[in-house]
Every structure is written in C-alpha cells, then in structure tokens.
Amino acid sequence: GDITLEQVREFVWEIPQEGDMRAPARVLASETLLEEIREDKTLEQITNTTHLPGITNYAICMPDGHQGYGFPVGGVGALDAENGCISPGAVGYDINCGVRMMRTNLTYDELQGREEELVDSLFANIPSGLGGGGVVEAGVDTVDEILARGVDWALENGHAVEDDLLHCEDEGMREGANPEKVSQKAKDRGKNQIGSLGSGNHFLEVQRVTDIFDDEVGEAYGLEADQIVVLIHCGSRGLGHQTCNDYLRKIEQQHQGLLNQLPDKELAAAPAGSQLAEDYYGAMNAAINFAWVNRQLIMHRTRRVFERVFDRSWEAMDMHLLYDVAHNIAKKETHTVAGDERDLYVHRKGATRAFPAGHPEVPAAYRDVGQPVIIPGSMGAGSYVLRGGEHSMDLTFGSTAHGAGRLMSRTRAKNEFWGGDVQDELEEQQQIYVKAQSGATVAEEAPGVYKDVDEVVRVSDALGIGDKVARTFPVCNIKG
Ligand code: 5GP
Ligand code: MN
Ligand code: MN
C-alpha cells in the first residue's frame, strides 16, 4: 500500500515503526528526490529491511536511493554483530564495487586536442566488456593470494607502489578474508578477469576539475581547478557475483526459520554467530580484496597509457591515488549507539563510507580533514569529491550517497536512447569523447538515465554527512 512518511526536519523523512518492523526507516532526500524515490519499490524495500534482526536505530535510504535486489541501492543497514544478522542481498552482487580517483598534474589545456588519441589508447589497453581477459592471467593459486592479501599482492608483483596502499581504505587489504570460503566456481570466473572493467555501469573516465568549494580540504587532497584526474569504477567481476549467489542459496537452505519471518526472500540473512555468517563474512572480505586488486591493476595500467600518450613518466605526471571508496560491502564496525559501544555489521549497498576528520580509520594523510568521498554523476554531468562530514557518525553510521542514482531501468533506457546518438551529442555539444564495447551500454548509461547529482550532493552537504570539496566534468570515457 501507500507508505506514509513523516518529516523529521529538512531533508529527513521517517517511516514510523509499526507491525513487525523492528525499527523505523529514514529517507534522506529533498522533495524532488523523494518524488523520484517514490516511483519504484525503494520505500517498500527500505521498510522491509527494518524486519531484519538486530537492525539498529533505523534503516537508511540515501538521496540517490533506488530499487535493488531486496535492499535498495543507496541503502545503509547497521545490524548487530552479536544478536543480529548479515545479509548478502544487503551487500549486493558486485561485492566491493567502488570508485577510485587518481590525480595528475596535467591541465585541461595540455590535454585538449588529444582527447581522441587518449581515449583510443585507453580503450585499446584497459580490458573491458563481457568477455574474458584482464591485465594479468592467473592460476587459482594466484587468485587465492589476491583474495588473502589484496593490494599487498599487487605491490609485490609490480602493479602498485607503497603510496597506493596508504591511500586506500584498509590499505587495500581486508582482514578476516578467507579464500577457502570462496567457491571453486567463483575463483574460476575471476581468474581471467583480474584487472578488467567489465561491462554496463563500469567505466574509466578522464575528468577535469571545474570547481573547488573548500580550498583547505582541496589542498589536502591535492586538487585544484583545471587539473586532470582519472576516475575508475568497477568491482569484483564474476568472482563477487558468484560468491553472493553461492551464499544466498546456502542461507535459503540452512536458515529457513529466519527467512520465513522476513517480508522478502531476497533479504535472506545468516544469524550473527552462525557458521554461515562467519563463512560469508570471510568470503565477502576475500572478494573485497579481489575488487581492490582489480581497480589497482586498471589504475597502474592507466599510468602506462598516459606515459605513452604524454611521453613522460607517471611519476613526473604526479599520478597518485587520491582515494578508493567501496560501494557494496558489510563491515564489522564499532559505533556509539545511545551511549553504548556496539559492534555492528554496517551494510552499505550503493552507499559510501564517509568518516569525519579525526576518525582513526581515516588514512593518516587525510585524518585532519576527513575521508575523501567520491560521487560520480554520469558521463555527461559533473562528479564530486566530498569529505566525510561531522554529522555522519550520528546520522548515517558514517555513510553518504554513492552516485546520482538511476532514474530508469536499463530496458526503458534502451527504448528511449540510441547509443550512437548519445555519443555524437556528447562529443558535439560537450566535447566529451566516449568509447564503448557496445552501443547498448551507452544507451543504458546515457546521462538521462541518472538523477541530478547536484541535488544528491546538496542534500549530503546540507546534512553534514559528506561536504562538498570539488566538482569535476568528463573529458573522455571508456565503457564495457
Ligand atoms: P553504481 O555503482 O550504482 O553502478 O553507479 C554509481 C553511480 O555512478 C551512478 O549512480 C551514476 O551516478 C554514476 N555513473 C554511471 N555511469 C557514469 C559515467 O560514465 N561517468 C560518471 N562520472 N558517473 C557515472
Ligand atoms: Mn558494480
Ligand atoms: Mn558501483
């Protein structure tokens, strides 16, 4: 039926607790975004989430929220790690899908006129598309090492420098990763995809910085106007997808009792402390490491491409990792809840961690200003760099939005847009050069399928969960 929302204050809406809900749900949105959120099953899904045991404070829908598998994309659910549960659908299929931004010291002036050469070279050298093939081809032994050690493996094998680890969440290595809990089938799917974008929504975009909103934080992040930066969006490929699928099936079989209490089978969850909860957590952490290595290998390959195109070493172009943020994970974190310290599985699905200044888990380089947060818009609109806001711990378990958020389904997008036309328009009207493996992908990802990223960021900034630092605009983009 119709879901009633009560306004708590500007940009904060609540779905009150009733019936079998174990907590209220909250939606963080402007009225415009809320209207868009109302168009699909997002509100129903965020309400369903409050039925999960151990849900703490409230389930949260971010301003970019839209319908997903069971749990909305743009959802945050903190579930008690002792008495609650963990839910693969509330993490998402593409485990540790995420974005990373790399800086350069090139300016837009230096790049103009060479966009096509650059985009062609990136497209030729960065593996993408549905098919197999990555930066490295590995045996299952290597996959196991990547799953256990993450970017540390890349460092040892010449695909990373120490500085890359220092600018990644958890230094690119998730503790508690258990490769033994990742199935053979998942490893087989991943082994020839290490260092590959994949298809659909994943991309590599060269951008220019158009605005700096906060000079002090901008400086701490090494960002200034007209600078060229690179944004890489991809995840754990077939390995993560298979892992999610494996555990959903196992949980459905072994935890029928809990499943029967939930309003949606897609929310299937393993009770905290059960063997399957431990196994899934170990497997998910391993898939997180795999995704970090994937983005790392693509970034390092991008350095080589720039070296060839601009005839300078990547070090001379100052091509350093700014930061890497995860979109789809559950993490055991300690949060203060009503004055008590509690261990929670914080599920962030299509949501980004946004820890504020001073938090011990923010990398040392950024601890004084807060964690960088990267919010992509679309291939025809701006993207943002934010910093974790001072209210994020109180309001959102240290989280904010992850993008503009999808406005229409892929099927509808393919009826409304034609890939070739979208590409021509971007080039002619906005000087944005897009190259993709398939025209259908360009249609599915056309700028018009996404919401207004400026509006999403306005809400994040006003609530103080992620504050505006800089805005970028696309120069060229490759897609699967
Ligand atoms: P998701 O992780 O949900 O697939 O996507 C995250 C966000 O990336 C989307 O909500 C959308 O705002 C943004 N996005 C999708 N395609 C592109 C692109 O080609 N370039 C940029 N800059 N952003 C994109
Ligand atoms: Mn993804
Ligand atoms: Mn993503």
Side-chain angles (χ1 to χ4, degrees), residues 290-332:
F290 186 88
W292 273 330
V293 169
N294 194 24
R295 291 197 283 279
Q296 175 66 39
L297 265 51
I298 291 170
M299 180 178 80
H300 207 57
R301 178 62 73 86
T302 303
R303 290 170 169 157
R304 302 283 176 232
V305 172
F306 271 69
E307 285 184 331
R308 259 173 267 156
V309 173
F310 296 100
D311 199 24
R312 252 171 284 177
S313 73
W314 69 263
E315 290 94 341
M317 288 179 280
D318 194 31
M319 298 182 76
H320 289 287
L321 175 61
L322 172 62
Y323 200 57
D324 180 299
V325 294
H327 290 164
N328 291 357
I329 60 174
K331 260 184 140 175
K332 209 184 265 188

mmCIF file of all heavy atoms in Angstrom, residues 290-332:
data_model
loop_
_atom_site.group_PDB
_atom_site.id
_atom_site.type_symbol
_atom_site.label_atom_id
_atom_site.label_comp_id
_atom_site.label_asym_id
_atom_site.label_seq_id
_atom_site.Cartn_x
_atom_site.Cartn_y
_atom_site.Cartn_z
ATOM 1 N N PHE A 290 39.773 -8.830 -3.809
ATOM 2 C CA PHE A 290 39.836 -9.061 -5.255
ATOM 3 C C PHE A 290 39.466 -7.783 -6.023
ATOM 4 O O PHE A 290 40.131 -7.398 -6.988
ATOM 5 C CB PHE A 290 38.891 -10.215 -5.631
ATOM 6 C CG PHE A 290 38.977 -10.639 -7.066
ATOM 7 C CD1 PHE A 290 39.891 -11.598 -7.474
ATOM 8 C CD2 PHE A 290 38.121 -10.095 -8.022
ATOM 9 C CE1 PHE A 290 39.971 -11.999 -8.806
ATOM 10 C CE2 PHE A 290 38.189 -10.487 -9.350
ATOM 11 C CZ PHE A 290 39.122 -11.453 -9.746
ATOM 12 N N ALA A 291 38.426 -7.103 -5.575
ATOM 13 C CA ALA A 291 37.978 -5.871 -6.252
ATOM 14 C C ALA A 291 39.031 -4.767 -6.118
ATOM 15 O O ALA A 291 39.264 -4.012 -7.066
ATOM 16 C CB ALA A 291 36.642 -5.409 -5.685
ATOM 17 N N TRP A 292 39.649 -4.674 -4.948
ATOM 18 C CA TRP A 292 40.698 -3.656 -4.795
ATOM 19 C C TRP A 292 41.858 -3.900 -5.756
ATOM 20 O O TRP A 292 42.403 -2.989 -6.359
ATOM 21 C CB TRP A 292 41.208 -3.609 -3.348
ATOM 22 C CG TRP A 292 40.389 -2.707 -2.483
ATOM 23 C CD1 TRP A 292 39.704 -1.590 -2.871
ATOM 24 C CD2 TRP A 292 40.180 -2.837 -1.067
ATOM 25 N NE1 TRP A 292 39.085 -1.016 -1.777
ATOM 26 C CE2 TRP A 292 39.357 -1.759 -0.680
ATOM 27 C CE3 TRP A 292 40.604 -3.753 -0.105
ATOM 28 C CZ2 TRP A 292 38.954 -1.572 0.648
ATOM 29 C CZ3 TRP A 292 40.205 -3.567 1.208
ATOM 30 C CH2 TRP A 292 39.385 -2.483 1.586
ATOM 31 N N VAL A 293 42.233 -5.172 -5.893
ATOM 32 C CA VAL A 293 43.316 -5.508 -6.829
ATOM 33 C C VAL A 293 42.872 -5.181 -8.255
ATOM 34 O O VAL A 293 43.650 -4.640 -9.046
ATOM 35 C CB VAL A 293 43.716 -6.995 -6.682
ATOM 36 C CG1 VAL A 293 44.636 -7.431 -7.819
ATOM 37 C CG2 VAL A 293 44.386 -7.225 -5.335
ATOM 38 N N ASN A 294 41.630 -5.469 -8.558
ATOM 39 C CA ASN A 294 41.104 -5.159 -9.886
ATOM 40 C C ASN A 294 41.263 -3.666 -10.194
ATOM 41 O O ASN A 294 41.815 -3.290 -11.232
ATOM 42 C CB ASN A 294 39.628 -5.579 -9.944
ATOM 43 C CG ASN A 294 39.098 -5.620 -11.352
ATOM 44 O OD1 ASN A 294 39.867 -5.766 -12.303
ATOM 45 N ND2 ASN A 294 37.793 -5.475 -11.505
ATOM 46 N N ARG A 295 40.818 -2.808 -9.295
ATOM 47 C CA ARG A 295 40.925 -1.360 -9.549
ATOM 48 C C ARG A 295 42.389 -0.908 -9.577
ATOM 49 O O ARG A 295 42.772 -0.036 -10.349
ATOM 50 C CB ARG A 295 40.136 -0.560 -8.494
ATOM 51 C CG ARG A 295 38.629 -0.741 -8.640
ATOM 52 C CD ARG A 295 37.823 0.318 -7.917
ATOM 53 N NE ARG A 295 37.714 0.180 -6.484
ATOM 54 C CZ ARG A 295 36.859 -0.635 -5.853
ATOM 55 N NH1 ARG A 295 36.047 -1.413 -6.541
ATOM 56 N NH2 ARG A 295 36.811 -0.672 -4.529
ATOM 57 N N GLN A 296 43.207 -1.534 -8.729
ATOM 58 C CA GLN A 296 44.627 -1.184 -8.683
ATOM 59 C C GLN A 296 45.316 -1.496 -10.021
ATOM 60 O O GLN A 296 46.081 -0.690 -10.540
ATOM 61 C CB GLN A 296 45.316 -1.955 -7.545
ATOM 62 C CG GLN A 296 46.816 -1.770 -7.485
ATOM 63 C CD GLN A 296 47.222 -0.353 -7.141
ATOM 64 O OE1 GLN A 296 46.598 0.308 -6.315
ATOM 65 N NE2 GLN A 296 48.293 0.142 -7.762
ATOM 66 N N LEU A 297 45.037 -2.676 -10.570
ATOM 67 C CA LEU A 297 45.692 -3.069 -11.820
ATOM 68 C C LEU A 297 45.255 -2.163 -12.979
ATOM 69 O O LEU A 297 46.059 -1.820 -13.845
ATOM 70 C CB LEU A 297 45.405 -4.541 -12.138
ATOM 71 C CG LEU A 297 46.488 -5.524 -11.653
ATOM 72 C CD1 LEU A 297 46.842 -5.335 -10.202
ATOM 73 C CD2 LEU A 297 46.107 -6.962 -11.938
ATOM 74 N N ILE A 298 43.990 -1.800 -12.960
ATOM 75 C CA ILE A 298 43.497 -0.881 -14.002
ATOM 76 C C ILE A 298 44.161 0.486 -13.848
ATOM 77 O O ILE A 298 44.581 1.104 -14.827
ATOM 78 C CB ILE A 298 41.960 -0.772 -13.933
ATOM 79 C CG1 ILE A 298 41.339 -2.098 -14.381
ATOM 80 C CG2 ILE A 298 41.456 0.393 -14.782
ATOM 81 C CD1 ILE A 298 39.854 -2.208 -14.142
ATOM 82 N N MET A 299 44.286 0.950 -12.612
ATOM 83 C CA MET A 299 44.912 2.258 -12.385
ATOM 84 C C MET A 299 46.373 2.248 -12.831
ATOM 85 O O MET A 299 46.840 3.182 -13.492
ATOM 86 C CB MET A 299 44.822 2.643 -10.904
ATOM 87 C CG MET A 299 45.456 3.993 -10.601
ATOM 88 S SD MET A 299 45.294 4.480 -8.876
ATOM 89 C CE MET A 299 46.615 3.519 -8.132
ATOM 90 N N HIS A 300 47.081 1.182 -12.491
ATOM 91 C CA HIS A 300 48.508 1.126 -12.834
ATOM 92 C C HIS A 300 48.684 1.052 -14.352
ATOM 93 O O HIS A 300 49.579 1.676 -14.910
ATOM 94 C CB HIS A 300 49.166 -0.066 -12.133
ATOM 95 C CG HIS A 300 50.621 0.142 -11.874
ATOM 96 N ND1 HIS A 300 51.101 1.205 -11.146
ATOM 97 C CD2 HIS A 300 51.710 -0.572 -12.275
ATOM 98 C CE1 HIS A 300 52.426 1.137 -11.104
ATOM 99 N NE2 HIS A 300 52.818 0.078 -11.779
ATOM 100 N N ARG A 301 47.812 0.309 -15.015
ATOM 101 C CA ARG A 301 47.833 0.228 -16.474
ATOM 102 C C ARG A 301 47.546 1.609 -17.087
ATOM 103 O O ARG A 301 48.143 2.000 -18.091
ATOM 104 C CB ARG A 301 46.819 -0.831 -16.922
ATOM 105 C CG ARG A 301 46.641 -1.047 -18.404
ATOM 106 C CD ARG A 301 47.861 -1.519 -19.172
ATOM 107 N NE ARG A 301 48.298 -2.893 -19.004
ATOM 108 C CZ ARG A 301 47.850 -3.945 -19.683
ATOM 109 N NH1 ARG A 301 46.884 -3.799 -20.568
ATOM 110 N NH2 ARG A 301 48.345 -5.148 -19.496
ATOM 111 N N THR A 302 46.645 2.351 -16.458
ATOM 112 C CA THR A 302 46.314 3.713 -16.923
ATOM 113 C C THR A 302 47.544 4.618 -16.872
ATOM 114 O O THR A 302 47.766 5.454 -17.752
ATOM 115 C CB THR A 302 45.170 4.300 -16.068
ATOM 116 O OG1 THR A 302 44.054 3.414 -16.145
ATOM 117 C CG2 THR A 302 44.755 5.678 -16.553
ATOM 118 N N ARG A 303 48.357 4.451 -15.849
ATOM 119 C CA ARG A 303 49.615 5.223 -15.756
ATOM 120 C C ARG A 303 50.473 4.974 -16.989
ATOM 121 O O ARG A 303 51.040 5.893 -17.573
ATOM 122 C CB ARG A 303 50.382 4.824 -14.496
ATOM 123 C CG ARG A 303 49.717 5.302 -13.206
ATOM 124 C CD ARG A 303 50.385 4.660 -11.992
ATOM 125 N NE ARG A 303 49.946 5.295 -10.749
ATOM 126 C CZ ARG A 303 49.988 4.716 -9.550
ATOM 127 N NH1 ARG A 303 50.452 3.465 -9.429
ATOM 128 N NH2 ARG A 303 49.586 5.364 -8.490
ATOM 129 N N ARG A 304 50.562 3.692 -17.381
ATOM 130 C CA ARG A 304 51.387 3.332 -18.546
ATOM 131 C C ARG A 304 50.830 3.972 -19.812
ATOM 132 O O ARG A 304 51.579 4.415 -20.672
ATOM 133 C CB ARG A 304 51.418 1.805 -18.724
ATOM 134 C CG ARG A 304 51.951 1.062 -17.513
ATOM 135 C CD ARG A 304 53.473 1.136 -17.422
ATOM 136 N NE ARG A 304 53.960 0.492 -16.218
ATOM 137 C CZ ARG A 304 54.798 1.061 -15.340
ATOM 138 N NH1 ARG A 304 55.245 2.301 -15.538
ATOM 139 N NH2 ARG A 304 55.201 0.410 -14.270
ATOM 140 N N VAL A 305 49.506 3.989 -19.932
ATOM 141 C CA VAL A 305 48.888 4.594 -21.112
ATOM 142 C C VAL A 305 49.222 6.090 -21.162
ATOM 143 O O VAL A 305 49.632 6.610 -22.209
ATOM 144 C CB VAL A 305 47.351 4.374 -21.106
ATOM 145 C CG1 VAL A 305 46.676 5.172 -22.217
ATOM 146 C CG2 VAL A 305 47.023 2.887 -21.233
ATOM 147 N N PHE A 306 49.095 6.762 -20.049
ATOM 148 C CA PHE A 306 49.436 8.199 -20.006
ATOM 149 C C PHE A 306 50.915 8.417 -20.332
ATOM 150 O O PHE A 306 51.268 9.381 -20.993
ATOM 151 C CB PHE A 306 49.105 8.795 -18.628
ATOM 152 C CG PHE A 306 47.692 9.318 -18.510
ATOM 153 C CD1 PHE A 306 46.611 8.450 -18.512
ATOM 154 C CD2 PHE A 306 47.436 10.688 -18.389
ATOM 155 C CE1 PHE A 306 45.306 8.929 -18.400
ATOM 156 C CE2 PHE A 306 46.136 11.173 -18.281
ATOM 157 C CZ PHE A 306 45.075 10.292 -18.288
ATOM 158 N N GLU A 307 51.771 7.513 -19.858
ATOM 159 C CA GLU A 307 53.211 7.647 -20.162
ATOM 160 C C GLU A 307 53.442 7.648 -21.660
ATOM 161 O O GLU A 307 54.203 8.455 -22.186
ATOM 162 C CB GLU A 307 54.001 6.496 -19.517
ATOM 163 C CG GLU A 307 54.166 6.652 -18.021
ATOM 164 C CD GLU A 307 55.037 5.563 -17.399
ATOM 165 O OE1 GLU A 307 55.076 4.426 -17.940
ATOM 166 O OE2 GLU A 307 55.671 5.854 -16.366
ATOM 167 N N ARG A 308 52.744 6.743 -22.370
ATOM 168 C CA ARG A 308 52.938 6.653 -23.816
ATOM 169 C C ARG A 308 52.351 7.870 -24.537
ATOM 170 O O ARG A 308 52.965 8.430 -25.420
ATOM 171 C CB ARG A 308 52.308 5.364 -24.359
ATOM 172 C CG ARG A 308 53.361 4.283 -24.594
ATOM 173 C CD ARG A 308 52.720 2.964 -24.957
ATOM 174 N NE ARG A 308 52.518 2.172 -23.744
ATOM 175 C CZ ARG A 308 51.613 1.218 -23.626
ATOM 176 N NH1 ARG A 308 50.788 0.952 -24.621
ATOM 177 N NH2 ARG A 308 51.514 0.519 -22.513
ATOM 178 N N VAL A 309 51.154 8.266 -24.109
ATOM 179 C CA VAL A 309 50.494 9.377 -24.809
ATOM 180 C C VAL A 309 51.213 10.708 -24.550
ATOM 181 O O VAL A 309 51.382 11.515 -25.460
ATOM 182 C CB VAL A 309 48.995 9.458 -24.418
ATOM 183 C CG1 VAL A 309 48.336 10.711 -24.995
ATOM 184 C CG2 VAL A 309 48.267 8.197 -24.894
ATOM 185 N N PHE A 310 51.654 10.935 -23.326
ATOM 186 C CA PHE A 310 52.240 12.243 -22.990
ATOM 187 C C PHE A 310 53.769 12.218 -22.922
ATOM 188 O O PHE A 310 54.394 13.228 -22.621
ATOM 189 C CB PHE A 310 51.632 12.782 -21.688
ATOM 190 C CG PHE A 310 50.155 13.053 -21.819
ATOM 191 C CD1 PHE A 310 49.219 12.144 -21.336
ATOM 192 C CD2 PHE A 310 49.708 14.191 -22.471
ATOM 193 C CE1 PHE A 310 47.857 12.374 -21.480
ATOM 194 C CE2 PHE A 310 48.352 14.439 -22.624
ATOM 195 C CZ PHE A 310 47.430 13.520 -22.132
ATOM 196 N N ASP A 311 54.351 11.037 -23.178
ATOM 197 C CA ASP A 311 55.800 10.906 -23.275
ATOM 198 C C ASP A 311 56.533 11.438 -22.035
ATOM 199 O O ASP A 311 57.497 12.204 -22.138
ATOM 200 C CB ASP A 311 56.288 11.628 -24.556
ATOM 201 C CG ASP A 311 57.677 11.134 -24.952
ATOM 202 O OD1 ASP A 311 58.035 10.005 -24.564
ATOM 203 O OD2 ASP A 311 58.409 11.892 -25.618
ATOM 204 N N ARG A 312 56.019 11.066 -20.891
ATOM 205 C CA ARG A 312 56.602 11.442 -19.603
ATOM 206 C C ARG A 312 56.370 10.290 -18.637
ATOM 207 O O ARG A 312 55.424 9.527 -18.840
ATOM 208 C CB ARG A 312 55.840 12.659 -19.029
ATOM 209 C CG ARG A 312 56.605 13.952 -19.052
ATOM 210 C CD ARG A 312 55.684 15.099 -18.680
ATOM 211 N NE ARG A 312 54.810 15.447 -19.807
ATOM 212 C CZ ARG A 312 53.850 16.378 -19.745
ATOM 213 N NH1 ARG A 312 53.638 17.034 -18.614
ATOM 214 N NH2 ARG A 312 53.117 16.648 -20.788
ATOM 215 N N SER A 313 57.175 10.169 -17.600
ATOM 216 C CA SER A 313 56.929 9.089 -16.639
ATOM 217 C C SER A 313 55.693 9.429 -15.801
ATOM 218 O O SER A 313 55.351 10.597 -15.644
ATOM 219 C CB SER A 313 58.135 8.911 -15.723
ATOM 220 O OG SER A 313 58.193 9.978 -14.798
ATOM 221 N N TRP A 314 55.027 8.400 -15.291
ATOM 222 C CA TRP A 314 53.823 8.662 -14.499
ATOM 223 C C TRP A 314 54.172 9.427 -13.221
ATOM 224 O O TRP A 314 53.385 10.238 -12.749
ATOM 225 C CB TRP A 314 53.025 7.396 -14.221
ATOM 226 C CG TRP A 314 53.618 6.356 -13.284
ATOM 227 C CD1 TRP A 314 54.313 5.239 -13.636
ATOM 228 C CD2 TRP A 314 53.531 6.343 -11.853
ATOM 229 N NE1 TRP A 314 54.675 4.531 -12.515
ATOM 230 C CE2 TRP A 314 54.195 5.171 -11.411
ATOM 231 C CE3 TRP A 314 52.945 7.178 -10.910
ATOM 232 C CZ2 TRP A 314 54.296 4.838 -10.052
ATOM 233 C CZ3 TRP A 314 53.041 6.856 -9.553
ATOM 234 C CH2 TRP A 314 53.720 5.681 -9.144
ATOM 235 N N GLU A 315 55.374 9.180 -12.716
ATOM 236 C CA GLU A 315 55.789 9.924 -11.517
ATOM 237 C C GLU A 315 55.904 11.413 -11.836
ATOM 238 O O GLU A 315 55.505 12.262 -11.057
ATOM 239 C CB GLU A 315 57.127 9.410 -10.978
ATOM 240 C CG GLU A 315 57.069 8.019 -10.353
ATOM 241 C CD GLU A 315 57.418 6.902 -11.331
ATOM 242 O OE1 GLU A 315 57.367 7.132 -12.573
ATOM 243 O OE2 GLU A 315 57.729 5.790 -10.862
ATOM 244 N N ALA A 316 56.454 11.716 -13.028
ATOM 245 C CA ALA A 316 56.583 13.122 -13.427
ATOM 246 C C ALA A 316 55.208 13.769 -13.615
ATOM 247 O O ALA A 316 55.066 14.980 -13.467
ATOM 248 C CB ALA A 316 57.399 13.235 -14.706
ATOM 249 N N MET A 317 54.215 12.948 -13.936
ATOM 250 C CA MET A 317 52.849 13.488 -14.062
ATOM 251 C C MET A 317 52.104 13.414 -12.720
ATOM 252 O O MET A 317 50.904 13.689 -12.666
ATOM 253 C CB MET A 317 52.079 12.743 -15.154
ATOM 254 C CG MET A 317 52.556 13.098 -16.558
ATOM 255 S SD MET A 317 51.673 12.196 -17.855
ATOM 256 C CE MET A 317 52.494 10.599 -17.821
ATOM 257 N N ASP A 318 52.816 13.026 -11.664
ATOM 258 C CA ASP A 318 52.247 13.001 -10.308
ATOM 259 C C ASP A 318 50.948 12.188 -10.245
ATOM 260 O O ASP A 318 49.953 12.608 -9.642
ATOM 261 C CB ASP A 318 52.005 14.454 -9.845
ATOM 262 C CG ASP A 318 51.754 14.533 -8.348
ATOM 263 O OD1 ASP A 318 52.300 13.689 -7.606
ATOM 264 O OD2 ASP A 318 50.999 15.427 -7.921
ATOM 265 N N MET A 319 50.962 11.018 -10.887
ATOM 266 C CA MET A 319 49.731 10.221 -10.965
ATOM 267 C C MET A 319 49.565 9.356 -9.711
ATOM 268 O O MET A 319 49.842 8.159 -9.714
ATOM 269 C CB MET A 319 49.746 9.377 -12.238
ATOM 270 C CG MET A 319 49.780 10.267 -13.493
ATOM 271 S SD MET A 319 49.748 9.336 -15.027
ATOM 272 C CE MET A 319 48.027 8.860 -15.123
ATOM 273 N N HIS A 320 49.089 10.007 -8.658
ATOM 274 C CA HIS A 320 48.922 9.314 -7.382
ATOM 275 C C HIS A 320 47.453 9.054 -7.072
ATOM 276 O O HIS A 320 46.582 9.825 -7.459
ATOM 277 C CB HIS A 320 49.561 10.118 -6.264
ATOM 278 C CG HIS A 320 51.057 10.088 -6.340
ATOM 279 N ND1 HIS A 320 51.794 8.974 -6.020
ATOM 280 C CD2 HIS A 320 51.940 11.015 -6.759
ATOM 281 C CE1 HIS A 320 53.070 9.214 -6.203
ATOM 282 N NE2 HIS A 320 53.193 10.444 -6.662
ATOM 283 N N LEU A 321 47.249 7.971 -6.362
ATOM 284 C CA LEU A 321 45.882 7.630 -5.938
ATOM 285 C C LEU A 321 45.418 8.660 -4.923
ATOM 286 O O LEU A 321 46.081 8.889 -3.907
ATOM 287 C CB LEU A 321 45.873 6.220 -5.327
ATOM 288 C CG LEU A 321 44.551 5.745 -4.726
ATOM 289 C CD1 LEU A 321 43.436 5.698 -5.775
ATOM 290 C CD2 LEU A 321 44.715 4.358 -4.095
ATOM 291 N N LEU A 322 44.267 9.293 -5.194
ATOM 292 C CA LEU A 322 43.662 10.177 -4.193
ATOM 293 C C LEU A 322 42.977 9.323 -3.128
ATOM 294 O O LEU A 322 43.285 9.399 -1.948
ATOM 295 C CB LEU A 322 42.663 11.148 -4.852
ATOM 296 C CG LEU A 322 41.820 11.992 -3.899
ATOM 297 C CD1 LEU A 322 42.687 12.902 -3.045
ATOM 298 C CD2 LEU A 322 40.800 12.816 -4.658
ATOM 299 N N TYR A 323 42.065 8.458 -3.562
ATOM 300 C CA TYR A 323 41.408 7.566 -2.622
ATOM 301 C C TYR A 323 40.556 6.553 -3.369
ATOM 302 O O TYR A 323 40.254 6.735 -4.547
ATOM 303 C CB TYR A 323 40.534 8.364 -1.647
ATOM 304 C CG TYR A 323 40.211 7.605 -0.371
ATOM 305 C CD1 TYR A 323 41.232 7.120 0.445
ATOM 306 C CD2 TYR A 323 38.891 7.338 0.000
ATOM 307 C CE1 TYR A 323 40.939 6.410 1.600
ATOM 308 C CE2 TYR A 323 38.593 6.642 1.163
ATOM 309 C CZ TYR A 323 39.623 6.183 1.955
ATOM 310 O OH TYR A 323 39.339 5.477 3.095
ATOM 311 N N ASP A 324 40.169 5.506 -2.668
ATOM 312 C CA ASP A 324 39.338 4.440 -3.221
ATOM 313 C C ASP A 324 38.174 4.215 -2.264
ATOM 314 O O ASP A 324 38.384 4.002 -1.072
ATOM 315 C CB ASP A 324 40.196 3.169 -3.345
ATOM 316 C CG ASP A 324 39.428 1.984 -3.909
ATOM 317 O OD1 ASP A 324 38.442 1.556 -3.285
ATOM 318 O OD2 ASP A 324 39.824 1.463 -4.970
ATOM 319 N N VAL A 325 36.948 4.321 -2.761
ATOM 320 C CA VAL A 325 35.790 4.060 -1.902
ATOM 321 C C VAL A 325 34.979 2.872 -2.397
ATOM 322 O O VAL A 325 34.834 2.658 -3.598
ATOM 323 C CB VAL A 325 34.839 5.280 -1.755
ATOM 324 C CG1 VAL A 325 35.515 6.414 -1.015
ATOM 325 C CG2 VAL A 325 34.311 5.748 -3.093
ATOM 326 N N ALA A 326 34.459 2.107 -1.451
ATOM 327 C CA ALA A 326 33.669 0.919 -1.746
ATOM 328 C C ALA A 326 32.190 1.277 -1.806
ATOM 329 O O ALA A 326 31.714 2.117 -1.043
ATOM 330 C CB ALA A 326 33.904 -0.120 -0.661
ATOM 331 N N HIS A 327 31.460 0.637 -2.724
ATOM 332 C CA HIS A 327 30.011 0.826 -2.828
ATOM 333 C C HIS A 327 29.208 -0.268 -2.156
ATOM 334 O O HIS A 327 28.101 -0.018 -1.693
ATOM 335 C CB HIS A 327 29.573 0.847 -4.305
ATOM 336 C CG HIS A 327 29.999 2.056 -5.044
ATOM 337 N ND1 HIS A 327 30.006 2.130 -6.413
ATOM 338 C CD2 HIS A 327 30.433 3.255 -4.585
ATOM 339 C CE1 HIS A 327 30.423 3.335 -6.775
ATOM 340 N NE2 HIS A 327 30.709 4.024 -5.697
ATOM 341 N N ASN A 328 29.704 -1.496 -2.210
ATOM 342 C CA ASN A 328 28.888 -2.634 -1.782
ATOM 343 C C ASN A 328 29.634 -3.501 -0.777
ATOM 344 O O ASN A 328 30.322 -4.441 -1.167
ATOM 345 C CB ASN A 328 28.553 -3.516 -3.004
ATOM 346 C CG ASN A 328 27.609 -2.861 -3.984
ATOM 347 O OD1 ASN A 328 27.124 -1.758 -3.758
ATOM 348 N ND2 ASN A 328 27.333 -3.545 -5.076
ATOM 349 N N ILE A 329 29.491 -3.182 0.485
ATOM 350 C CA ILE A 329 30.150 -4.034 1.481
ATOM 351 C C ILE A 329 29.358 -4.071 2.794
ATOM 352 O O ILE A 329 28.503 -3.224 3.043
ATOM 353 C CB ILE A 329 31.600 -3.582 1.807
ATOM 354 C CG1 ILE A 329 31.650 -2.166 2.365
ATOM 355 C CG2 ILE A 329 32.508 -3.683 0.607
ATOM 356 C CD1 ILE A 329 33.045 -1.789 2.821
ATOM 357 N N ALA A 330 29.672 -5.067 3.613
ATOM 358 C CA ALA A 330 29.262 -5.055 5.012
ATOM 359 C C ALA A 330 30.554 -5.121 5.812
ATOM 360 O O ALA A 330 31.438 -5.910 5.500
ATOM 361 C CB ALA A 330 28.379 -6.247 5.344
ATOM 362 N N LYS A 331 30.644 -4.250 6.801
ATOM 363 C CA LYS A 331 31.864 -4.190 7.603
ATOM 364 C C LYS A 331 31.522 -4.224 9.067
ATOM 365 O O LYS A 331 30.598 -3.540 9.513
ATOM 366 C CB LYS A 331 32.587 -2.873 7.317
ATOM 367 C CG LYS A 331 33.726 -3.020 6.355
ATOM 368 C CD LYS A 331 34.447 -1.723 6.209
ATOM 369 C CE LYS A 331 35.940 -1.975 6.156
ATOM 370 N NZ LYS A 331 36.695 -0.763 5.889
ATOM 371 N N LYS A 332 32.268 -5.022 9.816
ATOM 372 C CA LYS A 332 32.085 -5.020 11.264
ATOM 373 C C LYS A 332 32.756 -3.758 11.796
ATOM 374 O O LYS A 332 33.959 -3.585 11.626
ATOM 375 C CB LYS A 332 32.721 -6.272 11.859
ATOM 376 C CG LYS A 332 32.046 -6.748 13.126
ATOM 377 C CD LYS A 332 32.768 -7.931 13.732
ATOM 378 C CE LYS A 332 32.188 -9.251 13.321
ATOM 379 N NZ LYS A 332 32.784 -10.392 14.061
#
